Amino acid sequence: MLQSRFKRIYDEKSDSLKIAAIKPDFFLESKRQPLEKELDNPGALVLYVSSVCNGDCLYCYAAESHKNGKLMDFPIAKAAIDAFAKRSKKINVVFFGEGEPTLAFSLIRKIVEYLRYKRKTADLEFGTHLLTNGFFSRSKAEWIFENIDKISVSCDGPADIHNITRRRIGGKASHALLERNIKYFIARDSRKIRLKTVINPFSLERQTEVLEYFYRLGYQGEALFAPLIDSKQSKINDLKPLGGKFADNFLATTELNDYLGTGISLMTRLVELSPKTAACGLSRSNFYATPDGSVACCSRAISANRENNPFFYGAFRNNELRIDREKEKSLRRRTVNNLEDCEECFLRWVCAGGCAFEHFEKTRDLMKLDKKICEKRKREAEKYLLFQARRETSDLRPFFITDNKGKEIALSLWSGELTVGEKDNPIIVIDSDKDDFQKLFKKIKNHRDRRGFKLTIFFLRFVSGSKKQNNRKIIDFLSNLKKEKIHFKLTRPIPEKSIGDREKLIKEYGMPTTAAESLDFFSVRRKDRIFFGKTDSGMVLKTAKTRKALADSDNGKIHSEALK
């Protein structure tokens, strides 16, 4: 929706946002404000089937509940479904918990059976969603895949991170079991699975490695990168707040993800700009049923002190639902239209008052916002908007940065620089007439594997002085790299005399269509001087606008011909 809008709020001269130009309506499509009546549509029925857990996560916000954990009884689940079905003939049932839902496996199976019974006898349409740590047997994985519609699995990335942050009870490693189940789900149908990672101090500056790990698993879909939330458990384990580094590293990961076309869609609150009147389903009376029969509207509030807790608004007594209508009414009032602090904020329609629980913890008032939380959210948003505005304003990046002798030392991206060199992300010059592609493939794979999950890009520069066509050899070589999930970029169009299927190379392997689009078209030396090959263009980066403008310059035309 917002594509091509960002540059309107960007001042190129100062490289900053025009904050005064960003009004709340900036984020609205066709200037239509979200309607509060949209909140009348019921949300999901979330069944907290277990407060028992087989995990021992360093940052768990519900760790206290595990000490005296319990499983939900079926009569409560049945009563919740029956009550919800009176509101809507179409429901989405989410299996969640302060602990691990699959520890209530027999209950989940019974609930699914009951939902099918309701579908048959009462025309109830339903969907099911499981949020899990993935610590279960193959037999459970098989049943889950066959009977649950959507599966969200928590994974903090490679084993050396995950086995620290998301251990099993007793300090046992959990990664091998989790990975086995993720691979099983992906092999069956990756569309059913969604991966979530909690970015914590151990993964804060390794977000590209988490992305790379997911990519090598074969995952294609949405991956939620959720920043660590402070909790009693995180403080006990001395996990420091992430601060602004989360946004910086997430944007760098996002840019590389887009550049490489992994097929993974990265999500986090930072990039969520869809307009709404309420930040979450709290204002539509989210329905979270707990094992003791209480009804709440906020997942984080369930594990908090319940004294004077406004997020609990009902309970099941003798399997009959009792709703406190005054509490429900106060919850439904928490929309951006009723929050005075949001009236003039440029994030009015996308933040929509932010997390009610976070603000309530600070202000003890549902309708009051904490200024520090608001300022943090604004800073995050400004960082993202500036990042997008820069990308939208110029197509010059990425480009190589060279030393004074013209040797490539880095790739310049909007979010920073990627080191280029033999030890990191190498440039490999390939003569398709002379080079042994099998040996070259093994060399590349060995280099990638030695670096673990550090995201590695191979920049392939094809050269050829003969008229011999090596189309099959080249395509087989690139195909093998792709199959092994090895990232590569062709730095220039492959000489036409070497190839036959140009369109395949462009479509499947990302070959630049023109010299001006290629990485080898120009480079920048440390003082921002633009070079075409070894020729100083006479231009500097600050005055350059587009690749087309560079290509239309006299030296640009000469260099374009040389790259053909």
Side-chain angles (χ1 to χ4, degrees):
M1 179 186 73
L2 295 174
Q3 291 304 315
S4 81
R5 288 196 191 182
F6 295 108
K7 60 185 177 184
R8 288 167 26 201
I9 58 173
Y10 177 57
D11 182 356
E12 289 186 67
K13 288 185 179 180
S14 62
D15 186 31
S16 63
L17 293 175
K18 302 174 185 176
I19 296 295
I22 312 175
K23 305 297 183 183
D25 287 357
F26 174 79
F27 298 97
L28 297 179
E29 187 173 9
S30 304
K31 302 300 180 184
R32 184 185 79 84
Q33 295 181 1
L35 302 175
E36 285 200 9
K37 69 178 184 181
E38 293 171 357
L39 297 175
D40 292 337
N41 300 322
L45 168 57
V46 183
L47 299 178
Y48 268 56
V49 294
S50 172
S51 57
V52 183
C53 200
N54 54 1
D56 184 20
C57 301
L58 292 187
Y59 45 70
C60 181
Y61 66 85
E64 286 292 310
S65 68
H66 302 164
K67 296 176 182 178
N68 298 299
K70 61 177 294 186
L71 305 181
M72 177 180 282
D73 293 324
F74 177 71
I76 291 177
K78 178 180 180 296
I81 292 168
D82 290 342
F84 210 84
K86 291 177 182 178
R87 300 167 59 187
S88 174
K89 285 295 183 181
K90 186 175 182 179
I91 66 174
N92 181 34
V93 178
V94 180
F95 299 110
F96 195 23
E98 294 174 284
E100 168 53 30
T102 59
L103 294 182
F105 192 66
S106 60
L107 172 64
I108 291 174
R109 294 185 66 155
K110 195 169 184 179
I111 291 170
V112 171
E113 289 174 7
Y114 184 64
L115 288 168
R116 289 170 178 160
Y117 168 78
K118 294 284 283 187
R119 179 171 61 194
K120 185 177 180 180
T121 61
D123 294 325
L124 180 69
E125 294 183 46
F126 71 89
T128 51
H129 183 183
L130 171 68
L131 291 87
T132 176
N133 62 21
F135 306 168
F136 42 73
S137 66
R138 170 54 66 87
S139 61
K140 283 187 178 181
E142 290 171 352
W143 186 91
I144 289 168
F145 181 84
E146 295 293 343
N147 294 276
I148 301 296
D149 299 314
K150 187 176 181 181
I151 309 157
S152 291
V153 184
S154 294
C155 174
D156 282 356
D160 66 307
I161 298 174
H162 187 93
N163 281 334
I164 294 174
T165 60
R166 300 186 68 89
R167 303 166 299 200
R168 288 193 283 177
I169 291 293
K172 297 177 183 178
S174 61
H175 190 268
L177 175 61
L178 168 68
E179 181 178 276
R180 186 186 71 190
N181 286 326
I182 291 176
K183 285 182 175 179
Y184 171 76
F185 291 140
I186 290 174
R188 292 289 304 272
D189 186 350
S190 64
R191 293 171 298 180
K192 292 192 73 168
I193 187 175
R194 182 193 194 219
L195 296 181
K196 174 189 174 182
T197 183
V198 174
I199 300 301
N200 56 75
F202 295 96
S203 59
L204 176 59
E205 297 185 13
R206 297 178 62 187
Q207 292 182 50
T208 56
E209 292 178 58
V210 176
L211 169 66
E212 178 70 358
Y213 174 69
F214 289 171
Y215 176 69
R216 288 197 217 168
L217 283 175
Y219 180 64
Q220 300 272 288
E222 184 179 284
L224 176 63
F225 279 42
L228 174 75
I229 296 172
D230 284 348
S231 66
K232 183 177 179 179
Q233 188 75 351
S234 69
K235 290 174 182 175
I236 289 172
N237 289 306
D238 198 28
L239 300 183
K240 305 298 183 185
L242 303 185
K245 285 186 177 180
F246 168 74
D248 294 336
N249 283 277
F250 179 81
L251 293 178
T253 303
T254 296
E255 186 171 12
L256 282 167
N257 182 55
D258 293 345
Y259 181 51
L260 296 171
T262 64
I264 297 173
S265 174
L266 297 182
M267 291 299 298
T268 194
R269 184 184 69 174
L270 176 69
V271 302
E272 173 50 57
L273 299 178
S274 58
K276 47 193 168 287
T277 59
C280 69
L282 173 146
S283 303
R284 63 157 55 100
S285 301
N286 269 348
F287 200 101
Y288 291 18
T290 68
D292 66 3
S294 299
V295 176
C297 61
C298 171
S299 60
R300 290 176 64 186
I302 287 174
S303 300
N305 189 326
R306 296 195 183 183
E307 186 176 350
N308 298 320
N309 188 326
F311 301 96
F312 284 85
Y313 66 98
F316 289 93
R317 295 292 178 259
N318 298 318
N319 298 325
E320 288 291 326
L321 178 62
R322 300 285 186 267
I323 295 292
D324 184 326
R325 296 301 174 187
E326 286 301 312
K327 275 193 170 185
E328 183 184 39
K329 184 178 178 181
S330 69
L331 290 167
R332 289 181 67 83
R333 281 193 67 249
R334 197 188 186 279
T335 68
V336 73
N337 292 319
N338 297 319
L339 297 170
E340 292 182 7
D341 294 334
C342 297
E343 286 183 3
E344 301 301 322
C345 178
F346 74 95
L347 290 177
R348 174 182 174 88
W349 297 115
V350 295
C351 176
C355 174
F357 181 78
E358 284 185 4
H359 286 287
F360 181 80
E361 275 195 310
K362 301 293 184 181
T363 66
R364 310 311 296 177
D365 187 328
L366 265 180
M367 305 304 289
K368 296 293 182 182
L369 305 186
D370 179 76
K371 290 184 178 180
K372 288 184 178 179
I373 293 174
C374 290
E375 288 304 313
K376 179 184 176 183
R377 179 73 174 99
K378 289 176 185 177
R379 288 194 301 270
E380 287 178 345
E382 288 170 12
K383 191 170 288 190
Y384 177 66
L385 292 173
L386 180 60
F387 170 70
Q388 291 290 39
R390 286 169 172 165
R391 294 174 81 186
E392 193 176 272
T393 303
S394 171
D395 68 348
L396 294 178
R397 284 177 173 81
F399 56 74
F400 284 130
I401 296 172
T402 65
D403 61 19
N404 289 331
K405 295 181 180 180
K407 181 180 179 181
E408 296 89 350
I409 56 175
L411 184 74
S412 178
L413 300 160
W414 289 112
S415 54
E417 295 179 4
L418 185 74
T419 303
V420 172
E422 291 182 5
K423 294 181 179 180
D424 303 288
N425 304 283
I427 295 175
I428 299 177
V429 179
I430 302 173
D431 187 327
S432 56
D433 294 336
K434 300 177 182 178
D435 286 325
D436 184 323
F437 281 100
Q438 288 186 340
K439 288 183 179 179
L440 185 56
F441 171 78
K442 289 179 181 178
K443 178 182 176 182
I444 288 174
K445 186 176 183 304
N446 288 339
H447 178 83
R448 193 278 303 268
D449 292 346
R450 280 197 303 270
R451 284 171 54 81
F453 290 102
K454 289 182 179 178
L455 195 149
T456 306
I457 305 174
F458 295 87
F459 298 99
L460 308 181
R461 181 175 290 157
F462 279 86
V463 297
S464 179
S466 76
K467 296 181 179 180
K468 181 181 179 182
Q469 191 177 103
N470 296 295
N471 190 68
R472 187 72 265 158
K473 285 169 57 179
I474 292 172
I475 286 180
D476 286 347
F477 169 66
L478 298 179
S479 176
N480 287 334
L481 293 177
K482 197 171 181 179
K483 287 176 183 176
E484 285 294 325
K485 299 193 177 299
I486 294 172
H487 302 296
F488 63 88
K489 284 291 178 179
L490 303 178
T491 65
R492 60 176 68 181
I494 298 175
E496 291 189 10
K497 55 181 171 287
S498 299
I499 59 174
D501 198 341
R502 185 172 183 272
E503 291 304 314
K504 184 179 182 71
L505 286 164
I506 293 171
K507 185 177 180 180
E508 295 187 22
Y509 304 109
M511 186 179 78
T513 57
T514 66
E517 293 176 6
S518 69
L519 283 172
D520 284 345
F521 177 53
F522 75 92
S523 61
V524 175
R525 298 199 179 180
R526 281 296 182 189
K527 293 183 179 180
D528 286 347
R529 299 287 293 185
I530 293 176
F531 277 70
F532 295 120
K534 295 184 178 181
T535 303
D536 189 335
S537 71
M539 294 179 279
V540 293
L541 189 61
K542 288 183 179 179
T543 60
K545 297 293 183 183
T546 65
R547 284 179 172 266
K548 184 179 183 305
L550 292 179
D552 289 341
S553 67
D554 290 340
N555 285 332
K557 291 176 181 177
I558 293 171
H559 191 56
S560 294
E561 287 297 318
L563 288 177
K564 288 183 178 179

